[in-house]
Amino acid sequence: MQTLGDEILLDDTSLLVSETDAKGIIVYADETFVKFSEYPLEELIGKPHNMIRHPDMPKAAFKELWSTVKSGNVWQGFVKNRTKKGRFYWVYATVFPFGKDHYLSVRKIASRDEVEKYSKLYNTMRASEGK
């Protein structure tokens, strides 16, 4: 696993997959998601997916995500996640309804340009949430 300071860098072949129920509780996590989250599988299953949410993520981004998928549509966007060890990684996520009241999230590498762009955007969004 390659790192840049506290950031874990995904490679072009990394694909992280997880499934949640309607309340955002993790019911499935693949081996790659386990690896990058730095949590053992047993600590992920049955827990809220937002346990890996990085505090730099604006609340509005997840409000939009849940609104989109609960209406039956696919959501795509950039997400900064926090690992168990306090490190972080950026992903481009696609989340879609799956089965009855479940949601599947598939995540891949976010380019450095996208990370820079969304870091700035999310900083601005978080600043406005504090008002």
Side-chain angles (χ1 to χ4, degrees):
M1 201 170 352
Q2 191 176 18
T3 60
L4 181 63
D6 285 338
E7 182 176 6
I8 298 172
L9 303 172
L10 279 70
D11 61 39
D12 291 339
T13 63
S14 299
L15 195 64
L16 293 68
V17 179
S18 61
E19 179 185 347
T20 66
D21 66 13
K23 294 181 179 180
I25 304 299
I26 300 170
V27 297
Y28 171 79
D30 77 341
E31 189 175 305
T32 308
F33 178 68
V34 170
K35 172 184 164 187
F36 282 98
S37 73
E38 299 182 327
Y39 282 93
L41 181 61
E42 305 77 45
E43 290 184 33
L44 291 169
I45 301 298
K47 298 292 189 315
H49 204 286
N50 66 9
M51 71 188 278
I52 64 160
R53 181 182 303 166
H54 196 282
D56 287 351
M57 286 298 299
K59 293 174 186 167
F62 289 99
K63 184 177 181 184
E64 177 194 350
L65 181 159
W66 281 107
S67 173
T68 300
V69 296
K70 286 187 180 237
S71 67
N73 295 306
V74 175
W75 180 88
Q76 293 180 308
F78 296 90
V79 178
K80 183 179 184 181
N81 287 325
R82 180 173 51 187
T83 73
K84 181 176 182 174
K85 296 178 182 176
R87 301 191 291 179
F88 66 93
Y89 58 96
W90 279 92
V91 293
Y92 179 70
T94 302
V95 183
F96 54 92
F98 180 74
K100 175 129 175 75
D101 295 326
H102 279 233
Y103 304 96
L104 199 63
S105 178
V106 179
R107 296 166 300 276
K108 65 180 186 170
I109 190 172
S111 76
R112 296 317 302 167
D113 288 344
E114 292 160 336
V115 167
E116 185 176 319
K117 175 183 175 183
Y118 282 89
S119 290
K120 291 175 184 173
L121 173 64
Y122 290 166
N123 284 339
T124 302
M125 290 173 69
R126 272 193 344 278
S128 69
E129 288 176 348
K131 294 179 181 176

